[in-house]
Amino acid sequence: MYCTAADVANAATGSWEELAQRANPTGAGVDGELLRAAVAGDSLAEWPAEAQALAAEAATRVADAIDSAGKHIDTYLFPRYRGVMPLAPETIIASSLPAVCAAIALRRLYGASLPQELRDGTKWADDYLVNISKGIVSLGQVDTAVAQAPGRTVAKAPAKRFDWDAY
C-alpha cells in the first residue's frame, strides 16, 4: 500500500470534510470527524447507528480508491522494478509515491465530477509516474530496465540478409 486515508485527507483541500463528502454518495450523515474515526477504527458509539453504517461504507470507498490508485501506480513501476516488487516500505516513504497515491485516490473519489482545478493540481502525479516508467526518475532501488553501465555501449542490429554466395 502506497498511502493511507490520512494521506488522502491531507491531499484534499478540505481535509477529512472533503473526503467525507466525496466518499459518501448521499452527501449527508457522515462528517469529517466521523469518517476519520471510522477509518482509524475508533469507537463510533457517540454517533447514530445509521451514521455509523454510512461511515463504514465511506471508509470502504476510501480504501477502494487507495487500492485502485496503488494498482495504477504498479502498472508504471512493474516494468522497471519487477525484481524488487513489492517495494520496501522504506523505499515508498523515501519517495513521492505516498503523495502520488493520495492524489490519484482523491481524483478517483471525485469520479466524473472531477473539477478542472483538481485535474490540473494532480497532473504532477501522472507526470511523476510517466517519468519513473521512462527512467527519468528513479526510486533508488535496483532497476531492471535502466541504462547500461557507464562507459559501455551495446548496439543491436538486425542480421544482414545479403546472400554472399549468390554474389
Side-chain angles (χ1 to χ4, degrees):
M1 178 166 15
Y2 295 105
C3 72
T4 64
D7 293 327
V8 181
N10 289 336
T13 306
S15 191
W16 285 101
E17 286 298 324
E18 180 180 351
L19 203 57
Q21 291 172 356
R22 300 316 315 164
N24 184 11
T26 63
V30 179
D31 63 3
E33 188 57 31
L34 175 55
L35 179 60
R36 188 208 55 75
V39 167
D42 295 343
S43 171
L44 305 180
E46 62 187 72
W47 284 279
E50 183 181 338
Q52 292 177 28
L54 290 172
E57 288 177 28
T60 299
R61 281 189 188 86
V62 171
D64 290 346
I66 291 170
D67 184 55
S68 178
K71 289 176 183 174
H72 180 74
I73 290 169
D74 284 345
T75 63
Y76 285 92
L77 297 180
F78 187 76
R80 285 189 56 202
Y81 295 103
R82 72 178 130 256
V84 293
M85 286 191 75
L87 296 174
E90 301 82 33
T91 301
I92 294 170
I93 292 169
S95 71
S96 292
L97 289 174
V100 167
C101 182
I104 294 170
L106 181 61
R107 224 175 30 205
R108 289 177 185 246
L109 284 170
Y110 268 85
S113 64
L114 180 67
Q116 188 61 41
E117 310 91 45
L118 186 59
R119 182 175 287 123
D120 294 343
T122 58
K123 184 180 179 321
W124 69 270
D126 298 322
D127 295 342
Y128 182 77
L129 292 175
V130 168
N131 286 338
I132 285 177
S133 70
K134 288 182 177 179
I136 296 170
V137 174
S138 174
L139 297 177
Q141 283 287 314
V142 175
D143 195 324
T144 59
V146 189
Q148 302 159 29
R152 181 170 181 218
T153 303
V154 176
K156 294 182 180 178
K160 299 208 181 236
R161 303 217 187 274
F162 187 76
D163 184 7
W164 286 102
D165 293 331
Y167 181 70

